[in-house]
Structures are given as structure tokens and as C-alpha cells.
Amino acid sequence: MKVFADKYLYALDQLIPEDFELETYNPDIGFPKDINRFDALLIRTVTKLNKETLSEAGNLKFVGSATAGFDHVDVDYLNSLGIDFARSEGCNANAVGEYVLTALYRWGQLRNEKIEDLKVGVVGCGNTGGSLIGYLQKLGIEYVAYDPPKADREKNFKSADLNELLACDILSFHTPLTQNGTNATYHICSKHWLDHSFKLIINASRGGVVDEKALLEAKRLGLVRDFVLDVWENEPVFSDEVANQAFLATPHIAGYSKEAKWKASEIVVRKMVEFFGEEYSPPRQNEQPERSGLAEPGDLSFEDFLWKNHKIDFYDQKLRKLIGLSDGKKAQKFADLRSNTPTRFEFKTVIDQYSNSDILPEELKVFR
Ligand SMILES: O=C(O)[C@H](O)[C@H](O)COP(=O)(O)O
């Protein structure tokens, strides 16, 4: 079986069985050529698959996206060509939960706000929203769970109503990006929602879920005090004005961690191997952090532990250096920043380096 894969997919050489012939492509130089010579294609969000980019299936029978989101793929179109599609649902849930928690506490620290005194509205309560909710519960932070389509699907889930959501101090977005239908999420957060006041808005879902123009206007009017964006309406290009106004501006790395990337590759490789009728037994992830490179939990406050082990400030500074570049250069550097910045370990892996849990500040035990 011939597999063509994005060269940045994590640990593929360890995860793909030997009887699958692997060739990689470089997504930085454009859409991969001759993909229909291969039996399977493994992509990330930067490779858009639709009528414009793929005209025929050729040998291609399976496309796997090693990502949670799939708005970069026209799944119906692939299926109409007889191509099966799979993705790595849930792979980055914990990484995104940790990103939002880090952003929340970093904001609280710099703005002198006690997060435990504020109410967080979680929009979208699937994998990433669910992970955030888990942490909010453990930390005793009040929250509102808003997800009307989930409430329609699942008897045991009750969504907050919109008024309850809009009364929160903070909103965090965790929906997929969808353009059509009654529950379309494109610009779900626009002027109507932003006529209410919020201390902080965080979007780590997809650009376009939050209407950036409305967000800027709400900030100008003082209705939104701050916003943190990891995703952008015209990614990989972003608006200089929006980035300038953001409290934290990061290059779509919320879901990045070594553990999430491993899971992303493992899930999609498993689906591919099983699609071709074979059994799959993956190796164990064996990379461990070097203790010397970690911020010592015993010496740090909870806030400091979070942002020193998840360097969102560093990503923010790197992204701001791209402000003012031409769109072409910006897109290239944005992709470069995402692909080539060393990826972090998740907090549990960091904490597990410390066998003596007495030295851990109490709150850090939420990651155990
Ligand atoms: O959908 C996802 O899995 C996330 O947005 C993820 O961070 C995408 O990153 P990529 O691997 O496409 O760079």
C-alpha cells in the first residue's frame, strides 16, 4: 500500500507498519502533486481537499486527516469519488483544555483578576470544550455549558440558554466551523452576542467562529475588555489590527503538544491500516521531557507553572513579529512558526517527572 503523507505529521516513521510504503510531501511548497498515484493520503489542516484541488480519485481510496477539525475537507465530495475519509477526533482535547486554562490564568495574573471569582461560558461542549469543563470543575470555577445541538443529540446533556451564556464574564469557543444549517457556527459570535459585555473572549476553535470585525468594534466600545485568539479568519494570513488588539495572539497552536500530535498520527494510522483490512498494534510513545528543561513545580505559583511550561507568551511574541508583513510572507512565516517551533509536553507528563507529590502546589494535582 502506498501512503503519501504531510512531512510534519508526528512520529509517522514509528507508527506506520513496515508493509506500508511511506512517501512524504512538503505542504510549505503548495498542494501535493500526483496524490492520486497513492492508495492513501495523510494530511493536516493546511491541505485543503475539495473540487478545486482534487479532480479525480485515481488510486486514492483513503484520506486521513491527523486533526480533530475537518473544515478543510469536502467529505461529501471525497465520498462521491469513492474515497473514504477519517480523522483523529478528540486527539487534541487535553492540549486545547490546557491552552485555554493557561491563557485564562495568565490573563488573570496580568490583569489582576481572580479567575475563581468569574464565570466562564463554554461554547461547544465536545472534546475540547469538555476537557476545559473538566478542569473548571476540578478548580472550582463557575461555568456555563452552551451547546444546543449537543442537547438535541444527547438526552443526558442540558445546554444553558443563550441569556445565561451571555451573562458570563468570559467566553471560550470550542465548536467546529460550519457554514450551513440551523446550527451553523460561522460568525456565531458577532454583534448580537457582543452587545453584551465580557471581560475576556478566547477562541481556540476555528477562525470565523468569532466575527473579528464585531470583536474589534466591541473592544473599541469597551464591551469586550480583552480577547485571546489562537485561530484567525483568514488563516494562515491574519489581520494586523486584530493581532495588535489581542491580549494574546498565537499561531493556531492550542492543540499542539507532543501527546496530542502522537495521538493525531496514531488514530489516523490505525484507521488507515484497518481500512485496508489489517490489524494494528501501535508502539508506545517513548519520548519523555528532560527534567532540566522544565519549570520546577515546587518553586512556582499555579499561574507561573502553567505559562512557563506552556509558553504562550513566547508564541505571542513570535506572531507579533509578523505584523506588517505582506500577506504572502505572513502566510509562509505563520506556517513556519507552527511547523518548526518545538512542541511542549502536556502538564501531566511534566508533573509525572516529580515522584514526590508533596512538592506540588495543590492545584497542580488537577493534572494528575
Ligand atoms: O483540528 C485540529 O486538530 C487542530 O486545529 C490542530 O491544531 C490542527 O493542526 P495541524 O496539524 O493541521 O497543523
Side-chain angles (χ1 to χ4, degrees):
M1 227 55 73
K2 287 185 167 186
V3 184
F4 205 24
D6 181 314
K7 73 167 193 162
Y8 294 112
L9 284 182
Y10 192 67
L12 268 196
D13 47 345
Q14 293 172 59
L15 287 162
I16 291 209
E18 275 174 9
D19 55 333
F20 282 71
E21 206 180 302
L22 175 65
E23 210 175 294
T24 58
Y25 66 88
N26 182 357
D28 300 339
I29 54 174
F31 191 77
K33 296 227 175 353
D34 299 331
I35 55 181
N36 39 24
R37 280 199 295 118
F38 294 84
D39 301 290
L41 175 70
L42 301 182
I43 59 170
R44 296 165 44 238
T45 55
V46 293
T47 300
K48 319 254 178 256
L49 281 183
N50 51 42
K51 284 190 184 92
E52 281 78 54
T53 57
L54 181 69
S55 55
E56 54 174 55
N59 290 340
L60 202 57
K61 297 165 204 69
F62 178 91
V63 169
S65 185
T67 57
F70 61 109
D71 48 290
H72 54 296
V73 176
D74 183 339
V75 179
D76 290 341
Y77 176 64
L78 286 192
N79 293 162
S80 77
L81 293 178
I83 301 169
D84 203 74
F85 174 73
R87 66 188 164 110
S88 304
E89 209 173 335
C91 59
N92 59 6
N94 188 52
V96 174
E98 290 187 354
Y99 170 93
V100 174
L101 214 58
T102 307
L104 270 178
Y105 276 89
R106 185 68 176 134
W107 172 82
Q109 187 180 42
L110 297 172
R111 287 291 197 208
N112 211 10
E113 292 274 2
K114 199 160 176 266
I115 302 301
E116 292 79 3
D117 293 344
L118 303 174
K119 196 190 265 190
V120 181
V122 181
V123 183
C125 304
N127 291 310
T128 65
S131 159
L132 175 62
I133 288 173
Y135 286 126
L136 297 175
Q137 283 171 338
K138 286 187 194 161
L139 289 160
I141 300 168
E142 229 186 314
Y143 69 92
V144 150
Y146 181 78
D147 193 332
K150 183 177 164 93
D152 290 344
R153 285 191 313 268
E154 296 175 20
K155 269 204 181 117
N156 296 332
F157 177 81
K158 187 173 173 328
S159 173
D161 71 29
L162 189 58
N163 290 332
E164 283 175 272
L165 178 78
L166 299 179
C168 288
D169 304 291
I170 296 170
L171 294 184
S172 186
F173 287 86
H174 299 275
T175 65
L177 175 65
T178 54
Q179 308 277 350
N180 304 310
T182 42
N183 291 315
T185 59
Y186 176 74
H187 282 185
I188 189 175
C189 179
S190 65
K191 186 174 176 328
H192 172 54
W193 285 27
L194 296 170
D195 276 344
H196 297 74
S197 61
F198 301 100
K199 286 183 185 251
L200 179 65
I201 304 264
I202 303 177
N203 188 11
S205 61
R206 281 293 182 264
V209 168
V210 176
D211 176 349
E212 289 180 355
K213 218 166 133 209
L215 188 61
L216 280 182
E217 182 60 5
K219 175 133 174 73
R220 195 185 66 76
L221 294 171
L223 290 166
V224 168
R225 182 172 184 202
D226 288 309
F227 57 85
V228 169
L229 296 183
D230 182 56
V231 287
W232 307 84
E233 281 212 48
N234 298 306
E235 243 180 82
V237 173
F238 61 85
S239 146
D240 287 353
E241 199 187 352
V242 178
N244 268 326
Q245 292 293 323
F247 186 80
L248 284 169
T250 54
H252 195 159
I253 49 76
Y256 278 16
S257 68
K258 289 185 193 284
E259 294 84 343
K261 285 185 177 229
W262 175 278
K263 265 185 261 164
S265 295
E266 186 192 313
I267 294 171
V268 88
V269 169
R270 172 188 296 283
K271 288 183 176 175
M272 175 185 77
V273 171
E274 290 176 353
F275 173 82
F276 287 108
E278 292 186 21
E279 275 185 23
Y280 186 58
S281 42
R284 281 174 75 88
Q285 184 175 14
N286 55 16
E287 204 180 352
Q288 286 299 321
E290 278 190 31
R291 180 104 177 239
S292 59
L294 303 171
E296 294 279 327
D299 301 342
L300 299 170
S301 65
F302 184 58
E303 289 84 346
D304 285 343
F305 174 85
L306 298 186
W307 73 269
K308 290 192 174 180
N309 283 290
H310 186 338
K311 299 191 170 48
I312 48 176
D313 292 43
F314 167 82
Y315 275 111
D316 171 83
Q317 285 155 18
K318 290 267 187 193
L319 185 132
R320 285 178 202 279
K321 292 211 169 93
L322 313 187
I323 291 175
L325 294 180
S326 67
D327 283 0
K329 261 258 159 325
K330 207 189 256 180
Q332 189 197 330
K333 299 255 179 198
F334 185 94
D336 192 48
L337 197 49
R338 301 187 71 224
S339 307
N340 296 318
T341 309
T343 308
R344 72 185 182 99
F345 285 97
E346 293 181 8
F347 297 140
K348 180 181 184 323
T349 313
V350 173
I351 287 167
D352 283 350
Q353 299 299 300
Y354 299 87
S355 48
N356 175 7
S357 64
D358 293 347
I359 64 162
L360 295 177
E362 202 46 42
E363 299 106 309
L364 283 183
K365 294 184 185 156
V366 301
F367 300 116
R368 270 265 152 97

